[in-house]
């Protein structure tokens, strides 16, 4: 702000942030979604756009996924893991000029889990 640098801040959340939460992980994602709105409110007047991206089950080691394995999963309605490359594409969009009108939002990549289907 002091140096008048404009741009984007992208928080990384999870689709767990839209589900009822009792675990530290889920509660932390609810917190990220809330603080995204608060920081966005404060920084937009300095031309700094803040958003979050919230993927669902993603083909990573956190899901015990190893590269080259099947991406099939029953954890969401699309019956497959989100690929890290898909998350990266949305991230690039949100921090580009295309993301300038998306402010304080969390973009969910849930595959339907927690959005149209509560587990």
């Amino acid at each position: 702000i002091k140096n008048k640098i404009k741009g984007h801040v992208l928080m990384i959340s999870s689709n767990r942030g839209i589900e009822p939460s009792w675990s530290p992980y889920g509660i932390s994602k609810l917190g990220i979604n809330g603080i995204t709105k608060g920081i966005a409110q404060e920084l937009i007047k300095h031309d700094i756009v803040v958003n979050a991206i919230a993927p669902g089950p993603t083909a990573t080691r956190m899901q015990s996924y190893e590269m080259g394995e099947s991406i099939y999963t029953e954890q969401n309605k699309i019956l497959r893991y989100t690929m890290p490359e898909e998350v990266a594409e949305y991230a690039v969009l949100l921090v580009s000029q295309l993301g300038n009108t998306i402010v304080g939002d969390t973009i969910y990549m849930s595959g339907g889990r927690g959005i149209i289907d509560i587990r």
Side-chain angles (χ1 to χ4, degrees):
I1 294 169
K2 178 182 173 185
N3 294 326
K4 304 213 184 305
I5 297 172
K6 301 172 184 181
H8 296 83
V9 174
L10 182 61
M11 311 290 248
I12 306 299
S13 184
S14 164
N15 77 301
R16 289 286 305 277
I18 201 163
E19 298 176 8
S21 297
W22 53 90
S23 71
Y25 181 83
I27 292 167
S28 73
K29 300 314 173 186
L30 282 166
I32 289 172
N33 297 349
I35 202 166
T36 296
K37 293 177 186 302
I39 294 172
Q41 184 180 37
E42 290 300 311
L43 294 184
I44 193 62
K45 60 189 166 202
H46 301 286
D47 292 321
I48 300 171
V49 177
V50 179
N51 289 298
I53 191 167
T58 303
T60 65
R61 288 188 177 173
M62 184 176 177
Q63 297 292 329
S64 300
Y65 174 84
E66 295 293 330
M67 188 163 302
E69 293 179 345
S70 169
I71 62 172
Y72 174 82
T73 182
E74 293 181 356
Q75 293 186 48
N76 60 36
K77 290 295 186 187
I78 63 172
L79 300 177
R80 71 169 181 87
Y81 287 114
T82 297
M83 298 305 292
E85 297 83 4
E86 294 171 305
V87 177
E89 288 180 29
Y90 275 97
V92 168
L93 180 137
L94 286 170
V95 299
S96 74
Q97 296 298 315
L98 290 172
N100 284 345
T101 62
I102 304 169
V103 180
D105 290 316
T106 298
I107 306 301
Y108 293 94
M109 301 176 65
S110 68
R113 178 177 166 174
I115 304 292
I116 62 170
D117 180 37
I118 301 296
R119 57 186 169 109

